[in-house]
Amino acid sequence: MIVTEFDREDPSMKVQLADMLALTWPQTYGANATTEVDHLMSSERLAIAAIDNDELVGFVGAIPQYGNTGWEIHPLVVRDSHRKQRIGARLMTFIEDEIETRGGITVYLGTDDEKSQTSLSHLDLFEDPLTAISKIENLDHHPYEFYEKQGYKIVGVIPDANGWNKPDILMAKRILQPPYDLNKKQPTTD
Ligand SMILES: CC(C)(COP(=O)(O)OP(=O)(O)OC[C@H]1O[C@@H](n2cnc3c(N)ncnc32)[C@H](O)[C@@H]1OP(=O)(O)O)[C@@H](O)C(=O)NCCC(=O)NCCS
């Protein structure tokens, strides 16, 4: 199994990616996976593939959202048959290295809880979102714990983003150490 840059000129890989998106998120991409693949191939984005015997078994993309410093992971997916083999972790390490070479210092993502997989989907998050985050429990294999294992922290939540009691959990990771102590408010020079 290799992790490498996605070959944007390979039609077979793009078809496999569309199939993977449609299978993993049928409600979101069932009808328009090919269009989404076209978006994922945009030249300013990063597109990374995990390939096993010429078969696409995983994909991660990233979008520069704040100039080159802040990048959003979108999407991350590993083929069902190949999960729990550290492919997701390898894809994240690879793309973080690529982001760093392009000037990235923070990587972030939103991971939805649409199926009551965490304690956050059982609360009115507008009442006290920060306490709810500090007491989060994983009730049914929500991937936020996968991201925690890759060094990401929960930095926020968007209540009801996907409907009532269906929040989006915001996570971020520092991929480059700061040049000075950020707690000492040094003036910026640029
Ligand atoms: C989430 C996903 C990408 C993980 O990929 P993976 O290749 O199975 O993950 P890895 O094998 O690299 O796992 C690394 C670690 O995270 C843990 N982990 C993986 N998925 C997890 C989950 N859903 N909940 C809790 N822990 C998880 C693994 O047990 C492993 O732990 P370890 O280091 O203690 O052994 C994969 O399950 C997937 O594609 N899911 C469907 C799509 C999805 O949810 N994408 C993310 C949306 S934001």
Side-chain angles (χ1 to χ4, degrees):
M1 204 282 300
I2 56 159
V3 173
T4 182
E5 265 192 60
F6 191 93
D7 183 352
R8 297 167 199 240
E9 307 303 320
D10 185 337
S12 148
M13 280 293 148
K14 291 204 257 188
V15 169
Q16 290 185 59
L17 178 55
D19 288 347
M20 206 186 300
L21 294 178
L23 270 174
T24 309
W25 293 287
Q27 287 192 327
T28 311
Y29 299 123
N32 62 358
T34 308
T35 308
E36 176 63 8
V37 169
D38 288 341
H39 292 314
L40 298 177
M41 298 297 112
S42 300
S43 58
E44 78 280 7
R45 297 192 184 190
L46 286 171
I48 308 301
I51 297 172
D52 191 20
N53 290 324
D54 293 332
E55 185 193 3
L56 184 71
V57 296
F59 178 86
V60 64
I63 312 166
Q65 295 282 26
Y66 298 85
N68 283 339
T69 45
W71 289 66
E72 179 185 4
I73 296 295
H74 171 79
L76 168 68
V77 59
V78 173
R79 192 177 287 279
D80 203 8
S81 55
H82 285 67
R83 290 182 190 161
K84 305 278 176 182
Q85 298 174 33
R86 304 209 62 78
I87 296 173
R90 284 181 61 186
L91 283 165
M92 292 302 292
T93 301
F94 192 101
I95 203 161
E96 287 164 9
D97 288 346
E98 291 293 317
I99 290 171
E100 188 182 336
T101 64
R102 287 162 175 76
I105 61 176
T106 287
V107 181
Y108 73 98
L109 58 97
T111 179
D112 294 312
D113 182 8
E114 298 183 78
K115 296 179 188 159
S116 296
Q117 286 173 279
T118 80
S119 52
L120 299 186
S121 63
H122 297 267
L123 296 168
D124 183 347
L125 291 170
F126 275 109
E127 286 180 2
D128 190 353
L130 299 184
T131 300
I133 288 170
S134 71
K135 294 182 176 173
I136 189 170
E137 285 178 58
N138 200 345
L139 306 176
D140 187 18
H141 304 98
H142 188 279
Y144 83 84
E145 275 190 307
F146 162 81
Y147 289 112
E148 283 184 336
K149 287 184 172 175
Q150 315 314 315
Y152 287 75
K153 288 187 177 172
I154 300 177
V155 292
V157 65
I158 304 183
D160 309 321
N162 300 282
W164 302 115
N165 279 126
K166 295 179 179 178
D168 195 6
I169 303 167
L170 306 180
M171 306 189 73
K173 177 179 178 180
R174 170 176 287 160
I175 58 166
L176 186 70
Q177 286 313 304
Y180 61 88
D181 184 349
L182 299 184
N183 291 316
K184 295 178 184 165
K185 292 181 183 171
Q186 291 211 352
T188 51
T189 52
D190 54 5

